[in-house]
């Protein structure tokens, strides 16, 4: 009886969301949110939402991110993750993204791993995600886009 009620509740939730694929979305902030690209977070998020429902949304930034950018991320319903590093060197957020994304790869409730970046360092992430049965979505701009990353993704959304 209890299990039956739990299953009914689960089916109501699934039907409420139209059984859209679930997406874990990770944004490489220093790589993609740059003045020269003039990227709008809202339009980027909408491009991803064409493919399903974002259930995990994180924008990775370094310690030099402005309060205004952090606020813009929150206003879009996304989580800011600040990667700290040596102030004398350029902070790289790639490892932090890979760790969070690998959690999503092994999460059975996630259907699609989406990454906004141009960086070939995420090639291994896409390969592992596909190996584990996940679809991959790359959100990118063409200047500096790694061809290997573009070809590894199941779907590419160019901004």
């Amino acid at each position: 009886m209890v299990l039956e009620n739990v299953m009914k509740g689960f089916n109501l939730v699934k039907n409420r969301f139209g059984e859209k694929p679930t997406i874990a979305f990770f944004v490489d902030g220093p790589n993609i949110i740059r003045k020269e690209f003039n990227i709008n977070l809202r339009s980027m998020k909408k491009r991803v939402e064409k493919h399903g429902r974002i259930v995990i949304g994180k924008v990775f930034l370094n310690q030099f991110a402005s309060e205004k950018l952090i606020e813009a991320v929150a206003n879009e319903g996304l989580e800011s993750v600040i990667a700290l590093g040596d102030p004398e060197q350029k902070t790289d957020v790639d490892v932090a993204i890979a760790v969070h994304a690998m959690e999503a790869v092994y999460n059975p409730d996630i259907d699609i791993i989406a990454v906004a970046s141009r960086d070939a360092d995420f090639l291994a992430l896409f390969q592992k995600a596909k190996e584990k049965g996940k679809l991959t979505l790359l959100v990118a701009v063409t200047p500096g886009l790694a061809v290997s990353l573009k070809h590894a993704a199941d779907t590419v959304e160019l901004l």
Side-chain angles (χ1 to χ4, degrees):
M1 181 69 171
V2 172
L3 181 58
E4 186 178 308
N5 287 338
V6 169
M7 291 307 292
K8 281 183 185 176
F10 177 73
N11 288 333
L12 287 174
V13 170
K14 273 184 102 173
N15 290 338
R16 190 178 110 215
F17 291 115
E19 296 189 42
K20 287 184 174 182
T22 54
I23 301 173
F25 180 39
F26 305 100
V27 179
D28 180 353
N31 188 289
I32 204 95
I33 303 174
R34 304 169 73 108
K35 287 180 183 175
E36 65 258 34
F37 299 145
N38 196 26
I39 299 291
N40 179 307
L41 274 175
R42 180 166 295 146
S43 63
M44 183 175 11
K45 186 178 165 190
K46 284 183 189 283
R47 295 285 285 273
V48 172
E49 288 174 328
K50 288 186 338 186
H51 301 276
R53 184 171 62 91
I54 298 172
V55 295
I56 298 171
K58 299 181 181 191
V59 178
F60 293 79
L61 305 167
N62 60 29
Q63 70 265 33
F64 306 112
S66 70
E67 289 296 319
K68 190 174 180 177
L69 176 56
I70 294 169
E71 183 180 344
V73 169
N75 286 341
E76 290 307 318
L78 302 171
E79 177 185 347
S80 293
V81 178
I82 308 297
L84 300 175
D86 184 352
E88 300 296 319
Q89 299 177 1
K90 181 182 165 228
T91 302
D92 193 2
V93 301
D94 293 1
V95 173
I97 293 170
V99 169
H100 287 258
M102 284 307 296
E103 283 183 342
V105 166
Y106 284 92
N107 182 336
D109 296 326
I110 299 298
D111 300 313
I112 300 171
I113 303 297
V115 176
S117 185
R118 303 171 300 146
D119 195 336
D121 290 344
F122 297 113
L123 176 61
L125 169 66
F126 275 12
Q127 291 169 335
K128 183 56 77 173
K130 290 168 83 169
E131 179 183 309
K132 295 299 177 184
K134 306 297 182 181
L135 293 172
T136 56
L137 170 62
L138 174 64
V139 180
V141 293
T142 50
L145 174 57
V147 174
S148 60
L149 187 62
K150 180 180 174 183
H151 290 162
D154 291 310
T155 304
V156 178
E157 286 283 344
L158 292 176
L159 302 173

